[in-house]
Amino acid sequence: MFDEVSESLPVLKRGGLLLYPTDTVWGIGCDATNAEAVDKIYELKKRPESKALICLVSDLKMLRQYVEDIPEVAYNILKYADQPTTIVYDNPIRIAENLVGADNTLGIRIVQDEFCQTLIRKLGKPLVSTSANLSGEPTPMRYPEISAAVLEGVDYVVNLQRKHKSTKSSTVIRLSSDGQVKILRK
């Protein structure tokens, strides 16, 4: 695992794209503070910029660095979630502008996967995470289902968990600064 972290870091630092296993499905990622790298993901996926991408952070401390005001209810949701949970927060900060939604929101998940946590900690920044498919195509649940276009469009493919079958994408919850909670995807 540490060899793969060492191979991935330079790719991310130079604005490259990574194909990597997460705690949900295989993801295409980049440094979430690098707008040019984020553009490359939209281009590779043939995805309109109006469709949001999410970020992964390593822990609560990192989450606090990228969200201006975390609603109290978020701590309870994160504490009791029994599966990977992405929360859409208002007012993200210090993140690439083209990653932030038109309504000034951003979906962020505290990742549980050991490889992802280690990589994010070493990078010192959040990672973009979007499913490893072209826009409109099904989300691949296993590495062999990832299209040639995606495999050829990234700068590095992490050599871990290639036989693992993903169960599903994360739950997505929208938290408004005014305390409203809305489940966007279960």
Side-chain angles (χ1 to χ4, degrees):
M1 176 189 77
F2 295 107
D3 288 344
E4 290 302 314
V5 169
S6 294
E7 292 291 327
S8 300
L9 275 172
V11 172
L12 295 169
K13 288 179 178 180
R14 71 171 182 264
L17 302 186
L18 192 65
L19 179 64
Y20 65 105
T22 73
D23 50 355
T24 58
V25 299
W26 275 79
I28 301 170
C30 68
D31 171 353
T33 65
N34 183 330
E36 289 177 12
V38 173
D39 279 339
K40 290 179 191 177
I41 290 181
Y42 281 114
E43 188 176 309
L44 171 61
K45 285 186 62 99
K46 299 180 175 138
R47 181 180 178 125
E49 280 196 33
S50 59
K51 291 190 78 177
L53 302 173
I54 71 162
C55 290
L56 302 179
V57 295
S58 57
D59 50 37
L60 273 172
K61 181 180 177 185
M62 184 176 275
L63 176 65
R64 289 183 192 109
Q65 294 172 350
Y66 293 93
V67 177
E68 194 168 291
D69 184 35
I70 300 171
E72 250 341 280
V73 69
Y75 296 104
N76 286 330
I77 290 170
L78 294 170
K79 182 177 179 179
Y80 296 109
D82 60 356
Q83 65 186 44
T85 302
T86 301
I87 298 178
V88 179
Y89 297 95
D90 287 338
N91 307 316
I93 53 177
R94 292 190 281 283
I95 218 78
E97 288 181 20
N98 55 345
L99 198 53
V100 178
D103 58 352
N104 199 29
T105 62
L106 178 63
I108 302 175
R109 183 168 79 245
I110 298 175
V111 74
Q112 302 302 313
D113 177 80
E114 184 182 10
F115 166 76
C116 289
Q117 282 183 334
T118 304
L119 180 61
I120 293 166
R121 283 186 180 125
K122 295 269 186 195
L123 182 63
K125 300 174 186 178
L127 278 184
V128 169
S129 185
T130 181
S131 57
N133 61 307
L134 300 181
S135 191
E137 291 184 357
T139 299
M141 292 294 138
R142 298 178 319 120
Y143 177 82
E145 298 171 5
I146 298 170
S147 73
V150 170
L151 291 169
E152 293 165 9
V154 297
D155 299 295
Y156 185 71
V157 178
V158 173
N159 190 20
L160 294 172
Q161 300 180 29
R162 293 196 180 177
K163 295 186 188 305
H164 175 74
K165 181 174 175 28
S166 301
T167 52
K168 64 178 183 173
S169 301
S170 67
T171 297
V172 179
I173 298 173
R174 167 78 168 94
L175 293 184
S176 300
S177 296
D178 63 7
Q180 290 184 26
V181 177
K182 182 177 180 183
I183 297 175
L184 302 178
R185 179 175 70 199
K186 249 186 156 160

